[in-house]
Amino acid sequence: MNPADTLTEIAVPQSQQWVRGNLLTLEELNASEINIILDTARALKEVSTRSIKKVPALRGKVVVNLFFEDSTRTRTSFKLAAERMSADIVDFSVSTSSVSKGETLRDTARNLVAMGVDAIVIRHRSSGAPNLLSQLVECSVINAGDGSHEHPTQGLLDLYTIRETFVPRGKALSDLHVAIVGDVIHSRVARSNIWALSKLGAKITLVGPSTLCPDSFSRLGVTVSSDFDAVLPTVDVVNMLRVQFERITSAAFPSVREYSRYFGLDERRLKLCKPDVLVLHPGPMNRGLEITSPVADGPASAILRQVSNGLAVRMAVLYLCIGVSSLRRS
Ligand code: CP
């Protein structure tokens, strides 16, 4: 079967060149692979505008959401993405499973695979858990966020949103300067953004207090600054990170008031930016800390558009990993 035949009236460009069954990191993808995912997402985004929001591309496939950490956006988005592609989705609840009786990740996953699962979408507090899982099971493994390591689909949806905004204005990703601001050290979103943006040629500046944004990040080829006001007039995109209180073990800054004074994005700071600056935040937001409500809900913000684009990106990732790749393997 030609994978294109399963997508009525949708042209999915270059997907024949996709060879991976897993999506574990953006670090391991090259620019061409990232572009294939973004182009596939662009083709699939149209499905969500139809009155019947469904295509048969993954009919007969089974996807399991295996979330060991809380999630609103990613979990729901993968569920909807699987459903829009006609896959069956099992939203596995770790808290009511035998994990609470001490069952290991390995045994949990192998039992799920024994039931004929095609893909496991995993979120885990430990960096590297998706990679480990991919070595234990035969099915596709998709990383939905592992510790402070990577959150590949968030990085991809951020890129998609940036590209969708700036390409119509005649700017490619390689023309853009992106600031990633705040709690960089704990952020899997930051790491996935750094890998993907740098592979596509964007200039990146990380901004934050040295406790949360150390100079050592410069080894990744980015600039590191603690002067937010000085960076703002030079950037096209400001990606504000959540302060991850649950991962901060010692006092990283004197007070929340002090943090928002130096590193919060408010209306005064927005006025320092270029008039067409794009504001991103992966969510969930600490409103009033890293971003104020007038900015988060204002015209420069693409925060809800990021969420909508996340659905198209996850449809693309599922399609490429268990649709195209499995057809190639069979
Ligand atoms: N951005 C993100 O990962 O949000 P959730 O934790 O709600 O999935």
Side-chain angles (χ1 to χ4, degrees):
M1 182 170 45
N2 179 344
D5 294 342
T6 67
L7 286 172
T8 317
E9 297 162 21
I10 295 176
V12 181
Q14 297 177 310
S15 61
Q16 302 299 340
Q17 291 166 28
W18 182 265
V19 294
R20 292 177 189 271
N22 300 324
L23 180 64
L24 302 176
T25 68
L26 296 188
E27 181 181 3
E28 68 189 347
L29 300 192
N30 60 37
S32 161
E33 289 173 305
I34 292 169
N35 279 323
I36 289 173
I37 300 174
L38 299 182
D39 291 344
T40 305
R42 190 176 53 191
L44 291 172
K45 192 174 174 184
E46 180 268 323
V47 173
S48 296
T49 66
R50 297 180 182 184
S51 56
I52 298 173
K53 301 176 177 58
K54 220 168 217 197
V55 286
L58 297 180
R59 185 183 288 151
K61 302 285 185 185
V62 182
V63 178
V64 174
N65 263 348
L66 185 57
F67 277 57
F68 291 85
E69 273 190 343
D70 294 342
S71 167
T72 297
R73 282 146 288 268
T74 314
R75 185 174 187 155
T76 311
S77 183
F78 267 113
K79 183 173 189 304
L80 283 174
E83 287 172 350
R84 290 204 178 163
M85 304 294 277
S86 301
D88 294 324
I89 172 95
V90 179
D91 213 7
F92 184 87
S93 175
V94 168
S95 62
T96 57
S97 73
S98 290
V99 171
S100 64
K101 299 177 200 160
E103 188 160 58
T104 63
L105 171 63
R106 179 178 191 271
D107 285 336
T108 303
R110 285 165 69 93
N111 277 275
L112 293 171
V113 171
M115 293 182 226
V117 163
D118 296 286
I120 296 177
V121 178
I122 179 170
R123 170 169 288 189
H124 203 283
R125 64 189 166 280
S126 300
S127 298
N131 190 300
L132 173 68
L133 187 62
S134 72
Q135 294 165 35
L136 300 174
V137 296
E138 290 299 313
C139 71
S140 290
V141 175
I142 296 167
N143 181 0
D146 61 329
S148 55
H149 177 220
E150 280 226 33
H151 191 346
T153 54
Q154 180 70 44
L156 290 164
L157 74 89
D158 290 345
L159 246 67
Y160 186 100
T161 306
I162 295 170
R163 201 174 81 159
E164 179 187 67
T165 305
F166 285 97
V167 167
R169 299 179 194 168
K171 285 187 178 171
L173 281 160
S174 55
D175 301 323
L176 301 178
H177 183 187
V178 179
I180 301 174
V181 184
D183 185 359
V184 177
I185 200 163
H186 298 109
S187 179
R188 53 200 180 204
V189 174
R191 285 176 181 78
S192 285
N193 266 268
I194 291 167
W195 286 119
L197 285 166
S198 53
K199 280 165 202 257
L200 294 184
K203 182 178 173 199
I204 302 165
T205 299
L206 307 181
V207 183
S210 57
T211 46
L212 297 178
C213 184
D215 281 340
S216 53
F217 274 96
S218 57
R219 73 181 190 281
L220 298 178
V222 301
T223 303
V224 178
S225 171
S226 56
D227 190 344
F228 196 14
D229 284 359
V231 169
L232 280 171
T234 70
V235 298
D236 303 285
V237 180
V238 188
N239 196 347
M240 299 302 300
L241 301 173
R242 181 172 72 89
V243 177
Q244 300 193 35
F245 289 104
E246 74 277 19
R247 295 191 213 275
I248 294 176
T249 50
S250 58
F253 45 86
S255 67
V256 291
R257 195 163 156 190
E258 185 120 338
Y259 183 90
S260 56
R261 182 170 165 210
Y262 287 101
F263 301 105
L265 187 59
D266 57 11
E267 287 170 296
R268 179 193 73 77
R269 284 212 163 94
L270 197 59
K271 289 198 182 105
L272 300 176
C273 298
K274 296 179 186 176
D276 62 350
V277 73
L278 183 72
V279 175
L280 304 179
H281 191 300
M285 289 182 271
N286 295 306
R287 285 179 183 260
L289 177 56
E290 68 259 3
I291 192 166
T292 61
S293 286
V295 176
D297 303 328
S301 166
I303 293 170
L304 290 179
R305 190 150 56 85
Q306 286 174 269
V307 177
S308 303
N309 289 336
L311 183 50
V313 162
R314 290 172 180 125
M315 287 167 75
V317 167
L318 289 173
Y319 174 67
L320 291 167
C321 288
I322 62 173
V324 172
S325 286
S326 74
L327 285 167
R328 186 165 291 108
R329 285 195 296 270
S330 63

PDB file of all heavy atoms in Angstrom, residues 67-92:
ATOM      1  N   PHE A  67       2.128   7.935  30.541  1.00  0.00           N
ATOM      2  CA  PHE A  67       2.601   9.178  31.158  1.00  0.00           C
ATOM      3  C   PHE A  67       2.862   8.962  32.644  1.00  0.00           C
ATOM      4  O   PHE A  67       1.925   8.744  33.414  1.00  0.00           O
ATOM      5  CB  PHE A  67       1.581  10.307  30.941  1.00  0.00           C
ATOM      6  CG  PHE A  67       1.716  10.970  29.591  1.00  0.00           C
ATOM      7  CD1 PHE A  67       1.628  10.237  28.418  1.00  0.00           C
ATOM      8  CD2 PHE A  67       1.959  12.336  29.490  1.00  0.00           C
ATOM      9  CE1 PHE A  67       1.774  10.841  27.177  1.00  0.00           C
ATOM     10  CE2 PHE A  67       2.103  12.956  28.252  1.00  0.00           C
ATOM     11  CZ  PHE A  67       2.013  12.205  27.091  1.00  0.00           C
ATOM     12  N   PHE A  68       4.150   9.022  33.022  1.00  0.00           N
ATOM     13  CA  PHE A  68       4.540   8.892  34.429  1.00  0.00           C
ATOM     14  C   PHE A  68       4.616  10.266  35.098  1.00  0.00           C
ATOM     15  O   PHE A  68       4.951  10.349  36.269  1.00  0.00           O
ATOM     16  CB  PHE A  68       5.905   8.206  34.542  1.00  0.00           C
ATOM     17  CG  PHE A  68       5.883   6.758  34.142  1.00  0.00           C
ATOM     18  CD1 PHE A  68       6.017   6.386  32.818  1.00  0.00           C
ATOM     19  CD2 PHE A  68       5.731   5.762  35.100  1.00  0.00           C
ATOM     20  CE1 PHE A  68       6.001   5.048  32.447  1.00  0.00           C
ATOM     21  CE2 PHE A  68       5.711   4.423  34.741  1.00  0.00           C
ATOM     22  CZ  PHE A  68       5.845   4.065  33.410  1.00  0.00           C
ATOM     23  N   GLU A  69       4.381  11.336  34.329  1.00  0.00           N
ATOM     24  CA  GLU A  69       4.328  12.697  34.881  1.00  0.00           C
ATOM     25  C   GLU A  69       3.050  13.346  34.370  1.00  0.00           C
ATOM     26  O   GLU A  69       2.543  12.974  33.311  1.00  0.00           O
ATOM     27  CB  GLU A  69       5.497  13.550  34.365  1.00  0.00           C
ATOM     28  CG  GLU A  69       6.766  13.466  35.157  1.00  0.00           C
ATOM     29  CD  GLU A  69       7.767  14.537  34.700  1.00  0.00           C
ATOM     30  OE1 GLU A  69       7.613  15.112  33.604  1.00  0.00           O
ATOM     31  OE2 GLU A  69       8.702  14.785  35.460  1.00  0.00           O
ATOM     32  N   ASP A  70       2.574  14.363  35.108  1.00  0.00           N
ATOM     33  CA  ASP A  70       1.336  15.049  34.716  1.00  0.00           C
ATOM     34  C   ASP A  70       1.489  15.765  33.379  1.00  0.00           C
ATOM     35  O   ASP A  70       2.591  16.177  33.004  1.00  0.00           O
ATOM     36  CB  ASP A  70       0.948  16.084  35.788  1.00  0.00           C
ATOM     37  CG  ASP A  70       0.568  15.416  37.098  1.00  0.00           C
ATOM     38  OD1 ASP A  70       0.276  14.210  37.075  1.00  0.00           O
ATOM     39  OD2 ASP A  70       0.576  16.108  38.131  1.00  0.00           O
ATOM     40  N   SER A  71       0.379  15.920  32.700  1.00  0.00           N
ATOM     41  CA  SER A  71       0.376  16.632  31.421  1.00  0.00           C
ATOM     42  C   SER A  71      -1.057  17.028  31.079  1.00  0.00           C
ATOM     43  O   SER A  71      -1.979  16.249  31.299  1.00  0.00           O
ATOM     44  CB  SER A  71       0.926  15.716  30.320  1.00  0.00           C
ATOM     45  OG  SER A  71       0.658  16.260  29.047  1.00  0.00           O
ATOM     46  N   THR A  72      -1.204  18.219  30.554  1.00  0.00           N
ATOM     47  CA  THR A  72      -2.495  18.617  29.959  1.00  0.00           C
ATOM     48  C   THR A  72      -2.374  18.593  28.445  1.00  0.00           C
ATOM     49  O   THR A  72      -3.078  17.850  27.747  1.00  0.00           O
ATOM     50  CB  THR A  72      -2.890  20.030  30.436  1.00  0.00           C
ATOM     51  OG1 THR A  72      -3.084  20.003  31.845  1.00  0.00           O
ATOM     52  CG2 THR A  72      -4.184  20.500  29.756  1.00  0.00           C
ATOM     53  N   ARG A  73      -1.446  19.407  27.910  1.00  0.00           N
ATOM     54  CA  ARG A  73      -1.354  19.601  26.471  1.00  0.00           C
ATOM     55  C   ARG A  73      -0.859  18.349  25.732  1.00  0.00           C
ATOM     56  O   ARG A  73      -1.500  17.869  24.780  1.00  0.00           O
ATOM     57  CB  ARG A  73      -0.393  20.764  26.150  1.00  0.00           C
ATOM     58  CG  ARG A  73      -0.988  22.132  26.348  1.00  0.00           C
ATOM     59  CD  ARG A  73       0.061  23.103  26.827  1.00  0.00           C
ATOM     60  NE  ARG A  73       0.372  22.771  28.212  1.00  0.00           N
ATOM     61  CZ  ARG A  73      -0.254  23.321  29.262  1.00  0.00           C
ATOM     62  NH1 ARG A  73      -1.121  24.273  29.063  1.00  0.00           N
ATOM     63  NH2 ARG A  73       0.017  22.943  30.497  1.00  0.00           N
ATOM     64  N   THR A  74       0.280  17.820  26.126  1.00  0.00           N
ATOM     65  CA  THR A  74       0.928  16.762  25.341  1.00  0.00           C
ATOM     66  C   THR A  74       0.083  15.496  25.319  1.00  0.00           C
ATOM     67  O   THR A  74      -0.109  14.869  24.273  1.00  0.00           O
ATOM     68  CB  THR A  74       2.327  16.460  25.921  1.00  0.00           C
ATOM     69  OG1 THR A  74       2.992  17.699  26.167  1.00  0.00           O
ATOM     70  CG2 THR A  74       3.146  15.618  24.987  1.00  0.00           C
ATOM     71  N   ARG A  75      -0.431  15.134  26.478  1.00  0.00           N
ATOM     72  CA  ARG A  75      -1.216  13.897  26.570  1.00  0.00           C
ATOM     73  C   ARG A  75      -2.501  13.983  25.734  1.00  0.00           C
ATOM     74  O   ARG A  75      -2.806  13.088  24.934  1.00  0.00           O
ATOM     75  CB  ARG A  75      -1.558  13.651  28.050  1.00  0.00           C
ATOM     76  CG  ARG A  75      -2.251  12.356  28.304  1.00  0.00           C
ATOM     77  CD  ARG A  75      -2.404  12.146  29.797  1.00  0.00           C
ATOM     78  NE  ARG A  75      -2.924  10.825  30.066  1.00  0.00           N
ATOM     79  CZ  ARG A  75      -2.740  10.168  31.208  1.00  0.00           C
ATOM     80  NH1 ARG A  75      -2.049  10.709  32.187  1.00  0.00           N
ATOM     81  NH2 ARG A  75      -3.244   8.978  31.376  1.00  0.00           N
ATOM     82  N   THR A  76      -3.225  15.094  25.904  1.00  0.00           N
ATOM     83  CA  THR A  76      -4.475  15.272  25.150  1.00  0.00           C
ATOM     84  C   THR A  76      -4.196  15.358  23.655  1.00  0.00           C
ATOM     85  O   THR A  76      -4.934  14.823  22.822  1.00  0.00           O
ATOM     86  CB  THR A  76      -5.183  16.555  25.622  1.00  0.00           C
ATOM     87  OG1 THR A  76      -5.248  16.545  27.037  1.00  0.00           O
ATOM     88  CG2 THR A  76      -6.587  16.663  25.048  1.00  0.00           C
ATOM     89  N   SER A  77      -3.122  16.049  23.338  1.00  0.00           N
ATOM     90  CA  SER A  77      -2.772  16.268  21.943  1.00  0.00           C
ATOM     91  C   SER A  77      -2.410  14.952  21.243  1.00  0.00           C
ATOM     92  O   SER A  77      -2.846  14.693  20.111  1.00  0.00           O
ATOM     93  CB  SER A  77      -1.600  17.251  21.934  1.00  0.00           C
ATOM     94  OG  SER A  77      -1.206  17.596  20.677  1.00  0.00           O
ATOM     95  N   PHE A  78      -1.636  14.094  21.896  1.00  0.00           N
ATOM     96  CA  PHE A  78      -1.314  12.785  21.303  1.00  0.00           C
ATOM     97  C   PHE A  78      -2.580  11.939  21.161  1.00  0.00           C
ATOM     98  O   PHE A  78      -2.740  11.204  20.182  1.00  0.00           O
ATOM     99  CB  PHE A  78      -0.260  12.047  22.134  1.00  0.00           C
ATOM    100  CG  PHE A  78       1.152  12.295  21.666  1.00  0.00           C
ATOM    101  CD1 PHE A  78       2.051  12.992  22.446  1.00  0.00           C
ATOM    102  CD2 PHE A  78       1.589  11.836  20.426  1.00  0.00           C
ATOM    103  CE1 PHE A  78       3.349  13.241  22.002  1.00  0.00           C
ATOM    104  CE2 PHE A  78       2.882  12.069  19.973  1.00  0.00           C
ATOM    105  CZ  PHE A  78       3.760  12.774  20.767  1.00  0.00           C
ATOM    106  N   LYS A  79      -3.467  12.027  22.151  1.00  0.00           N
ATOM    107  CA  LYS A  79      -4.722  11.253  22.078  1.00  0.00           C
ATOM    108  C   LYS A  79      -5.547  11.703  20.868  1.00  0.00           C
ATOM    109  O   LYS A  79      -5.986  10.880  20.047  1.00  0.00           O
ATOM    110  CB  LYS A  79      -5.513  11.430  23.384  1.00  0.00           C
ATOM    111  CG  LYS A  79      -6.792  10.626  23.457  1.00  0.00           C
ATOM    112  CD  LYS A  79      -7.401  10.743  24.847  1.00  0.00           C
ATOM    113  CE  LYS A  79      -8.568   9.803  25.080  1.00  0.00           C
ATOM    114  NZ  LYS A  79      -9.651   9.915  24.121  1.00  0.00           N
ATOM    115  N   LEU A  80      -5.730  13.020  20.742  1.00  0.00           N
ATOM    116  CA  LEU A  80      -6.501  13.537  19.605  1.00  0.00           C
ATOM    117  C   LEU A  80      -5.800  13.241  18.280  1.00  0.00           C
ATOM    118  O   LEU A  80      -6.457  12.916  17.287  1.00  0.00           O
ATOM    119  CB  LEU A  80      -6.701  15.050  19.753  1.00  0.00           C
ATOM    120  CG  LEU A  80      -7.768  15.491  20.764  1.00  0.00           C
ATOM    121  CD1 LEU A  80      -7.755  17.008  20.912  1.00  0.00           C
ATOM    122  CD2 LEU A  80      -9.150  15.017  20.333  1.00  0.00           C
ATOM    123  N   ALA A  81      -4.473  13.349  18.291  1.00  0.00           N
ATOM    124  CA  ALA A  81      -3.716  13.100  17.051  1.00  0.00           C
ATOM    125  C   ALA A  81      -3.928  11.664  16.585  1.00  0.00           C
ATOM    126  O   ALA A  81      -4.186  11.399  15.400  1.00  0.00           O
ATOM    127  CB  ALA A  81      -2.236  13.377  17.277  1.00  0.00           C
ATOM    128  N   ALA A  82      -3.847  10.718  17.520  1.00  0.00           N
ATOM    129  CA  ALA A  82      -4.056   9.306  17.157  1.00  0.00           C
ATOM    130  C   ALA A  82      -5.478   9.103  16.640  1.00  0.00           C
ATOM    131  O   ALA A  82      -5.698   8.432  15.623  1.00  0.00           O
ATOM    132  CB  ALA A  82      -3.792   8.417  18.372  1.00  0.00           C
ATOM    133  N   GLU A  83      -6.448   9.722  17.318  1.00  0.00           N
ATOM    134  CA  GLU A  83      -7.854   9.551  16.910  1.00  0.00           C
ATOM    135  C   GLU A  83      -8.106  10.161  15.531  1.00  0.00           C
ATOM    136  O   GLU A  83      -8.832   9.599  14.719  1.00  0.00           O
ATOM    137  CB  GLU A  83      -8.778  10.174  17.959  1.00  0.00           C
ATOM    138  CG  GLU A  83      -8.832   9.330  19.228  1.00  0.00           C
ATOM    139  CD  GLU A  83      -9.584   9.984  20.379  1.00  0.00           C
ATOM    140  OE1 GLU A  83      -9.921  11.184  20.283  1.00  0.00           O
ATOM    141  OE2 GLU A  83      -9.809   9.300  21.383  1.00  0.00           O
ATOM    142  N   ARG A  84      -7.494  11.323  15.263  1.00  0.00           N
ATOM    143  CA  ARG A  84      -7.716  11.962  13.947  1.00  0.00           C
ATOM    144  C   ARG A  84      -7.096  11.153  12.816  1.00  0.00           C
ATOM    145  O   ARG A  84      -7.505  11.273  11.666  1.00  0.00           O
ATOM    146  CB  ARG A  84      -7.156  13.382  13.957  1.00  0.00           C
ATOM    147  CG  ARG A  84      -8.028  14.208  14.851  1.00  0.00           C
ATOM    148  CD  ARG A  84      -8.062  15.648  14.655  1.00  0.00           C
ATOM    149  NE  ARG A  84      -9.028  16.130  15.654  1.00  0.00           N
ATOM    150  CZ  ARG A  84      -9.157  17.348  16.060  1.00  0.00           C
ATOM    151  NH1 ARG A  84      -8.379  18.274  15.542  1.00  0.00           N
ATOM    152  NH2 ARG A  84     -10.050  17.683  16.950  1.00  0.00           N
ATOM    153  N   MET A  85      -6.127  10.293  13.155  1.00  0.00           N
ATOM    154  CA  MET A  85      -5.519   9.439  12.139  1.00  0.00           C
ATOM    155  C   MET A  85      -6.157   8.043  12.161  1.00  0.00           C
ATOM    156  O   MET A  85      -5.652   7.114  11.533  1.00  0.00           O
ATOM    157  CB  MET A  85      -4.014   9.307  12.395  1.00  0.00           C
ATOM    158  CG  MET A  85      -3.269  10.644  12.457  1.00  0.00           C
ATOM    159  SD  MET A  85      -3.260  11.519  10.888  1.00  0.00           S
ATOM    160  CE  MET A  85      -1.891  10.708  10.090  1.00  0.00           C
ATOM    161  N   SER A  86      -7.248   7.870  12.936  1.00  0.00           N
ATOM    162  CA  SER A  86      -8.013   6.622  13.027  1.00  0.00           C
ATOM    163  C   SER A  86      -7.287   5.486  13.734  1.00  0.00           C
ATOM    164  O   SER A  86      -7.673   4.318  13.601  1.00  0.00           O
ATOM    165  CB  SER A  86      -8.482   6.136  11.645  1.00  0.00           C
ATOM    166  OG  SER A  86      -9.276   7.106  11.026  1.00  0.00           O
ATOM    167  N   ALA A  87      -6.229   5.797  14.500  1.00  0.00           N
ATOM    168  CA  ALA A  87      -5.588   4.761  15.330  1.00  0.00           C
ATOM    169  C   ALA A  87      -6.422   4.560  16.591  1.00  0.00           C
ATOM    170  O   ALA A  87      -7.163   5.451  17.004  1.00  0.00           O
ATOM    171  CB  ALA A  87      -4.176   5.190  15.706  1.00  0.00           C
ATOM    172  N   ASP A  88      -6.281   3.391  17.213  1.00  0.00           N
ATOM    173  CA  ASP A  88      -6.859   3.184  18.547  1.00  0.00           C
ATOM    174  C   ASP A  88      -5.857   3.711  19.557  1.00  0.00           C
ATOM    175  O   ASP A  88      -4.651   3.467  19.424  1.00  0.00           O
ATOM    176  CB  ASP A  88      -7.113   1.692  18.800  1.00  0.00           C
ATOM    177  CG  ASP A  88      -8.181   1.138  17.864  1.00  0.00           C
ATOM    178  OD1 ASP A  88      -9.138   1.879  17.569  1.00  0.00           O
ATOM    179  OD2 ASP A  88      -8.027  -0.011  17.411  1.00  0.00           O
ATOM    180  N   ILE A  89      -6.357   4.416  20.591  1.00  0.00           N
ATOM    181  CA  ILE A  89      -5.443   4.975  21.595  1.00  0.00           C
ATOM    182  C   ILE A  89      -5.860   4.491  22.978  1.00  0.00           C
ATOM    183  O   ILE A  89      -7.041   4.524  23.322  1.00  0.00           O
ATOM    184  CB  ILE A  89      -5.411   6.525  21.523  1.00  0.00           C
ATOM    185  CG1 ILE A  89      -4.616   7.158  22.679  1.00  0.00           C
ATOM    186  CG2 ILE A  89      -6.791   7.138  21.465  1.00  0.00           C
ATOM    187  CD1 ILE A  89      -3.204   7.466  22.358  1.00  0.00           C
ATOM    188  N   VAL A  90      -4.878   4.011  23.731  1.00  0.00           N
ATOM    189  CA  VAL A  90      -5.103   3.610  25.115  1.00  0.00           C
ATOM    190  C   VAL A  90      -4.422   4.657  25.979  1.00  0.00           C
ATOM    191  O   VAL A  90      -3.202   4.841  25.896  1.00  0.00           O
ATOM    192  CB  VAL A  90      -4.494   2.217  25.411  1.00  0.00           C
ATOM    193  CG1 VAL A  90      -4.734   1.837  26.866  1.00  0.00           C
ATOM    194  CG2 VAL A  90      -5.068   1.175  24.462  1.00  0.00           C
ATOM    195  N   ASP A  91      -5.222   5.365  26.781  1.00  0.00           N
ATOM    196  CA  ASP A  91      -4.658   6.390  27.655  1.00  0.00           C
ATOM    197  C   ASP A  91      -4.369   5.733  28.999  1.00  0.00           C
ATOM    198  O   ASP A  91      -5.213   5.690  29.884  1.00  0.00           O
ATOM    199  CB  ASP A  91      -5.666   7.541  27.778  1.00  0.00           C
ATOM    200  CG  ASP A  91      -4.983   8.885  27.920  1.00  0.00           C
ATOM    201  OD1 ASP A  91      -3.751   8.951  27.797  1.00  0.00           O
ATOM    202  OD2 ASP A  91      -5.704   9.864  28.153  1.00  0.00           O
ATOM    203  N   PHE A  92      -3.174   5.187  29.114  1.00  0.00           N
ATOM    204  CA  PHE A  92      -2.789   4.355  30.255  1.00  0.00           C
ATOM    205  C   PHE A  92      -2.591   5.230  31.492  1.00  0.00           C
ATOM    206  O   PHE A  92      -1.828   6.189  31.466  1.00  0.00           O
ATOM    207  CB  PHE A  92      -1.484   3.646  29.887  1.00  0.00           C
ATOM    208  CG  PHE A  92      -0.974   2.680  30.901  1.00  0.00           C
ATOM    209  CD1 PHE A  92      -1.404   1.369  30.896  1.00  0.00           C
ATOM    210  CD2 PHE A  92      -0.049   3.070  31.841  1.00  0.00           C
ATOM    211  CE1 PHE A  92      -0.912   0.465  31.819  1.00  0.00           C
ATOM    212  CE2 PHE A  92       0.446   2.173  32.765  1.00  0.00           C
ATOM    213  CZ  PHE A  92       0.010   0.870  32.760  1.00  0.00           C
TER     214      PHE A  92
END
